[in-house]
Amino acid sequence: MTLTRDLSCQVCGHDRFVHADVIWPELVRQWQLGPDEVAYINVQQGTRCERCRANVRSQALARALLGVLEWPGTLEAYVTSLPHPSPRLLEINEAGALTPWLSRLRTHRLVRFPEHDMRALPFADGSFDLVVHSDTLEHVPGPETALAECRRVLATPGACVFTVPIVVGRLTRSRAGLPDSYHGDPGCRESDHLVQTEFGSDAWTAVLRAGFDACGIVPYRYPAGIALVGRRGPAD
Ligand SMILES: [Zn+2]
């Protein structure tokens, strides 16, 4: 375990992080990852705030979310500071370590995949101001359809803020026809952890193909922590 101090926590403002590797050899072989890729994916998933336990993936998600909200402080300060208008927020799966914070918003809704099909959400058009998900889209057959569905349930203006695992040195590929690969833990064989899509440096194109008006790419710690933002509505 090592300690780093280079970036403060977007969730709670703490400035000390702890690290433990999380990638296992089978996944390295399946994904054909090089040593540098293994290193940054370990940071993405295994470097955590010492205080609130949000990992670098969650940090990127929180930073992107705070940017959309135009909030200069931490996520903790946002959800505990009133008054401010509470956005109608849909969370799909527990989004990283952010659920305890997001669920404090009165207008928070949570649905889980695969109990709810991300490609057929049970909500009317324009029901939300924000849709948030984290490392879920790669498990959905037809990720563009799922993103288009996120766009459908968003009002205008609205934003879909999310992460997927991105290997930045290659292009996106479907795992159709390849051996089954699972996220979660070593030995995991749960169907909702089966990887359908390996996202690469063109991950942003899925956002635009899904019909969003703009796509933002927000780094927390490049390339370990990157979040994507699909905007519905005219650019500023
Ligand atoms: Zn923290």
Side-chain angles (χ1 to χ4, degrees):
M1 183 178 286
T2 58
L3 293 171
T4 56
R5 283 178 169 273
D6 49 355
L7 287 165
S8 68
C9 176
Q10 302 297 293
V11 177
C12 75
H14 196 64
D15 64 355
R16 291 177 66 89
F17 286 71
V18 295
H19 178 82
D21 285 350
V22 295
I23 299 296
W24 57 97
E26 183 186 9
L27 197 66
V28 172
R29 283 195 301 277
Q30 288 172 339
W31 282 50
Q32 300 170 295
L33 299 171
D36 59 328
E37 293 164 339
V38 172
Y40 73 69
I41 294 172
N42 270 321
V43 170
Q44 177 183 98
Q45 306 292 340
T47 296
R48 297 176 178 277
C49 170
E50 184 185 57
R51 178 171 170 244
C52 75
R53 311 303 291 175
N55 64 8
V56 165
R57 158 165 68 109
S58 300
Q59 300 290 337
L61 191 70
R63 172 168 282 176
L65 189 57
L66 292 167
V68 169
L69 293 167
E70 300 181 346
W71 182 259
T74 63
L75 186 62
E76 180 179 30
Y78 179 80
V79 300
T80 55
S81 299
L82 292 173
H84 56 69
S86 188
R88 297 168 296 168
L89 188 148
L90 173 64
E91 182 179 7
I92 301 172
N93 276 351
E94 282 82 0
L98 305 189
T99 306
W101 309 103
L102 299 180
S103 62
R104 294 173 72 160
L105 298 172
R106 285 182 294 102
T107 45
H108 171 262
R109 290 289 302 270
L110 173 67
V111 296
R112 292 184 175 84
F113 169 84
E115 292 89 337
H116 286 92
D117 187 347
M118 228 179 132
R119 300 164 301 178
L121 294 169
F123 302 108
D125 296 0
S127 297
F128 297 97
D129 303 303
L130 284 165
V131 175
V132 178
H133 47 89
S134 184
D135 287 22
T136 295
L137 202 61
E138 71 272 22
H139 302 294
V140 181
E144 285 172 33
T145 306
L147 283 173
E149 185 68 350
C150 293
R151 179 185 174 278
R152 182 187 68 76
V153 302
L154 278 169
T156 302
C160 177
V161 180
F162 69 100
T163 66
V164 287
I166 296 175
V167 183
V168 297
R170 64 174 71 158
L171 297 177
T172 299
R173 69 172 180 174
S174 166
R175 282 202 66 89
L178 297 172
D180 285 352
S181 175
Y182 297 83
H183 290 167
D185 300 308
C188 174
R189 293 293 180 269
E190 295 173 30
S191 61
D192 55 322
H193 287 95
L194 179 66
V195 179
Q196 306 282 347
T197 305
E198 292 178 7
F199 284 97
S201 58
D202 56 346
W204 61 274
T205 63
V207 177
L208 299 189
R209 285 199 301 271
F212 283 95
D213 297 299
C215 177
I217 301 173
V218 180
Y220 174 73
R221 187 189 293 194
Y222 179 88
I226 302 169
L228 298 177
V229 180
R231 297 265 191 177
R232 178 163 192 169
D236 292 335

